[in-house]
Structure formats: structure tokens, C-alpha cells
Amino acid sequence: FRGVTMMVPDRQIIMTVKLASVGYSQMDLLGKKFNVLYRLCEQQLSKQRHYDFGLRNILSVLRTSGTVKRSEPPDADEEMLFMRTVRDMNLSKLVADDV
């Protein structure tokens, strides 16, 4: 067998690029905040089987945030739209002790 080298993807770069691709102009700031939020969630919330803060969930949140952005007026506050989307998509999954 041959050896295989793998590396962990840089989530912040993925988040920033995806935010730019769905139309956010504050992609650097929002990408950094989103990365910090999910890293803290992984570290500080209780360990539950249904918690998913991985790349699949990240891409789902980013895709939904793009849909929300396109449905709002162009002058809407991007940070508020994005954080509301993150809250709406994750709050229902959290157990009472973590809220």
C-alpha cells in the first residue's frame, strides 16, 4: 500500500470564499466571525451526537445565508442577515443546557 497524506481544510478560507460567491461584501469580517463561532461551539458546548459543526453544516449555513441575502434589499445590514441565519439554523439543534 502507498502512504496517503491528508490535511485539515482551512475553514476560514472556505467560509470567506463562499461568502463572496453568494454576494456578501463583508466576507472577510463575517468569515472570521463565523470561524471563531464554530470553533468555540466545538470546544465549549457539550458533546452531543446530533451536533454538527463540520464542513457539511458550514456549507449549508453559507448556502442559506446567500438565499437570505438575495431575498433582502441590497442595502440591508449584511452582518445582521448573516448572524440571523446562523442563529436560525443552529439554535434549534442545541440542548437546553447549552442555550
Side-chain angles (χ1 to χ4, degrees), residues 25-83:
S25 59
Q26 297 179 355
M27 62 266 184
D28 293 323
L29 173 69
L30 294 175
K32 184 175 183 178
K33 286 185 176 188
F34 191 31
N35 187 38
V36 169
L37 174 68
Y38 264 41
R39 196 172 15 155
L40 288 172
C41 286
E42 287 178 330
Q43 293 170 358
Q44 296 181 359
L45 295 180
S46 64
K47 304 299 179 212
Q48 303 289 327
R49 292 189 72 196
H50 65 278
Y51 282 0
D52 178 20
F53 300 107
L55 204 51
R56 181 180 298 147
N57 182 286
I58 289 169
L59 293 175
S60 176
V61 170
L62 292 170
R63 208 172 14 256
T64 304
S65 68
T67 303
V68 169
K69 171 124 175 78
R70 287 187 295 276
S71 69
E72 295 289 328
D75 61 340
D77 182 18
E78 289 184 344
E79 188 172 358
M80 188 62 68
L81 291 175
F82 183 71
M83 292 304 171

Side-chain angles (χ1 to χ4, degrees), residues 3-35:
V4 177
T5 303
M6 299 176 79
M7 54 189 272
V8 178
D10 187 342
R11 290 182 180 180
Q12 187 167 345
I13 292 174
I14 293 170
M15 292 171 180
T16 302
V17 169
K18 187 69 175 173
L19 283 167
S21 73
V22 295
Y24 282 85
S25 59
Q26 297 179 355
M27 62 266 184
D28 293 323
L29 173 69
L30 294 175
K32 184 175 183 178
K33 286 185 176 188
F34 191 31
N35 187 38

